[in-house]
Amino acid sequence: MKLQSEHFRENLPAFLNNRQLRQNLAHATRTVLARRQALVAEIPDWEARRRAAYRKKKALLEDWDRQLAVFAEQAGRRGVQVYRAEDAAQAVALAVEIARRHNVRQVIKSKSMLTEEIGLNEGLAAQGVEVTETDLGEWILQLAGEAPAHLTAPAIHKSTEQIAELFSRKLGRPCPADPQELTRIARDHLRRKFLQAQMGISGANFAIVEEGAIAIVENEANARLTVSLPPVHVAFIGMERLLARRQDLALFLPLLTISSTAQKLTSFVSYLTGPAAADALDGPRHVYFILVDNGRRRMGRDARLRQALYCIRCGACYNACPVYQTIGGQAYGWVYQGPIGAVITPELVGLERAQQLPFASSLCGACSQICPVHIPLHELLLYQRHRIVAAGLTPHPERLAMRLFGWMFQRWDRYSKAFAWLHRLPWQRLAGSWSRTRRLPMLARRAFRQRAHSLFPRNRPQ
Amino acid sequence: MSKNNATCLSAASASKQVQLFVPCYVDQFFPEVAEATVRVLEVAGWTVFFPREQTCCGQPAFNSGYWREAHRVARTWLAAFRPDLPVVAPSGSCVSMVRHFYRELPWRRAELRRWQDLKPQVYELSQFLVSACGLRQWQGKLPLRVAFHDACHALRELGIREEPRLLLSGIQGLELVEPAEPEVCCGFGGTFSVKFPELSTAMAERKARALVDSAAQAVVSTDMSCLMQIGGFLQKQGYPIRAWHLAQVLAAAVDPSFRRGFARNERQETAPGPA
């Protein structure tokens, strides 16, 4: 996926001025948040579960190297071929190599943000391999030639009418604006692709260390078909996806499904333990796990940013974020969006290219409040701002202004004098960007501290 | 009323003395809010002191990522207040800065100790009156239909939700309405509102719509920063909804000299909405 986050500000008006987009987003996020809230209300120990999940992830990543080694060893024992990819290029090269090894011309793919992150589809297409997205939302976007706008609901920004129009245009026949009918059309189209493909590609929601297995969570059965129909399966696994034990799923699965799609459990959870036995009727004969780093381990070395690796990619922070609700995911200009995206994108693509994102937040804390694994997201946004400043990436006038602030506000007499002087400036004109849409308050003729003399004649505690 | 509130504060405050922490922008732009805060505390039976060495908590620099500059200002804050008397501010955001985010700053050991002593003594106004003093209701009279706006930092970082509503519900003639999505941010966010003015305004617009739909005559909050954003937007767009700080409403309910501006509200009720 093409990185656009350095153009965040320039791209913003296109999203802000798109009334239809804002309506779609407001409707979709409000609906899912209300349903989620209703489910959470049924779980008295929800808060305790969030904290338990945080603790489990923390413990696991403190022992990361060993856990990764055990996972790889256990998977290998079941006949999975496990690879590690340091970066995106290596991960794509591995996929290309596996496709070549098995003479693959057509690939079906279930939803995976990691493969978006590493640009897998483009990499395979460049080698003449046809990739078909089989998640309905992802397929819609593949038809539209767009990037996903959400972690779990990639086409959240599109209305049914817009999707019907897209199908009609791309498939060359009129398609009605009826969700059921549109789904049927997609199913007919995709079923053929499922039967033709020589290789399936998936992500992994959870990688279970003790068994070397992966769990894939979905509602459309497309992931189930992706892992079971083609003879070859490749799963891309972010190195941080680990859970220690299968029984941890009892904690993490509902945290994920309630937070993402407001379901107690999704329709399907597939558990892939390795290649099918020789006498099995179906299932892949060759299974590959590719553990992708791509900046994760560097992020993990910073004790604070490591918390962002606890993320289970539910997208609840997107839904709860008033900025996301206003501009949608594509505005962020990369795969990961919303609050968690603004925290991790600078780590994955470089501080410099994503430096605007941590500032595009009102720091309201709705993200931290909703995160099912208790990541203090808005505090991490603050931390990223600090890192961006420390790296010297902010504009010179701003640095100067802040230095002046520090000096001026360090002493009350300086502060008083400075404000007396500020009175003489055309204050209203200085804040043009503010006052275009909002009335700016006037500096008071006499500050409170000047009135305090008369209010408190003897202003000292006894 | 003052008989209710000597309960759960430390022994040092038996003298009923309190230090007033006035956020810098309240000091300079909204001195009337600080005055109202003084009045409210006095009515509640407290003697108020204003340590004049205070300037700002440092949040503007901190939230912009300039932690070194924030620390310079935070040291001034720390030196200005005594750890043996409660500190009260008409702001949830500045209190949260002191209570929570000061931990990020590179304090020397003695400063750190001072902060740890001070931290539990720093309160937002409604939190002080209700949670610390045990006040259950405010008194007085003010005929006004108000919507309470939850300021994000007060709500999420200090856990203030019931306190201001409880106080408001005691005022005779005051009707409290709940607008839609009271917990959604107004879009101020400090420098965010300047760095991304259109985005920030779009968020204010949504807030304004909910307020208009609620038929409130005024929007009330614990923080002037949110009210600057919401009120500034409402006013520029010509909506007849006024923005009042909680302290102003509480003061106006008990003291007629604080009712200036509230009468205008009644007149504006019949004024036309935006074109």
Side-chain angles (χ1 to χ4, degrees), chain A residues 100-224:
Chain A
R100 197 171 294 148
R101 194 184 302 166
H102 294 283
N103 274 321
V104 172
R105 293 169 317 281
Q106 285 158 299
V107 167
I108 48 167
K109 205 171 141 239
S110 63
K111 195 169 158 16
S112 152
M113 293 313 281
L114 174 55
T115 59
E116 300 276 350
E117 174 189 327
I118 60 177
L120 181 66
N121 290 8
E122 295 86 338
L124 284 171
Q127 300 300 317
V129 178
E130 180 201 278
V131 182
T132 305
E133 294 287 350
T134 63
D135 174 88
L136 181 54
E138 292 281 352
W139 188 62
I140 291 168
L141 296 180
Q142 197 176 27
L143 281 183
E146 285 180 34
H150 193 282
L151 275 176
T152 58
I156 190 172
H157 59 302
K158 290 199 182 297
S159 68
T160 311
E161 289 72 23
Q162 289 173 311
I163 294 164
E165 194 271 326
L166 172 74
F167 278 23
S168 306
R169 192 154 37 87
K170 290 288 174 177
L171 305 179
R173 60 193 168 95
C175 301
D178 167 38
Q180 254 178 359
E181 188 55 25
L182 292 171
T183 309
R184 202 191 53 74
I185 292 167
R187 188 188 292 133
D188 284 349
H189 183 93
L190 291 172
R191 191 143 288 177
R192 258 174 300 149
K193 298 287 181 187
F194 274 119
L195 294 170
Q196 290 163 353
Q198 299 89 37
M199 183 163 112
I201 293 179
S202 71
N205 291 97
F206 301 104
I208 311 301
V209 171
E210 68 172 358
E211 290 182 315
I214 60 170
I216 302 172
V217 181
E218 52 137 357
N219 278 311
E220 299 168 17
N222 67 304
R224 177 69 56 87

Side-chain angles (χ1 to χ4, degrees), chain A residues 260-282:
Chain A
S260 59
T261 45
Q263 293 171 286
K264 283 184 178 164
L265 194 58
T266 47
S267 309
F268 299 90
V269 177
S270 301
Y271 202 64
L272 180 61
T273 52
D279 57 347
L281 288 174
D282 54 16

Side-chain angles (χ1 to χ4, degrees), chain B residues 211-223:
Chain B
L211 287 169
V212 170
D213 290 345
S214 77
Q217 295 168 310
V219 52
V220 176
S221 187
T222 50
D223 284 69

Side-chain angles (χ1 to χ4, degrees), chain A residues 9 304 325 379 410 459, chain B residues 50 76 103-104 195 206:
Chain A
R9 186 185 302 278
R304 286 193 233 220
Q325 290 168 357
E379 296 183 24
Q410 192 180 15
N459 188 24
Chain B
F50 177 73
T76 304
R103 67 162 189 265
E104 303 287 356
K195 282 190 174 171
R206 173 175 172 188

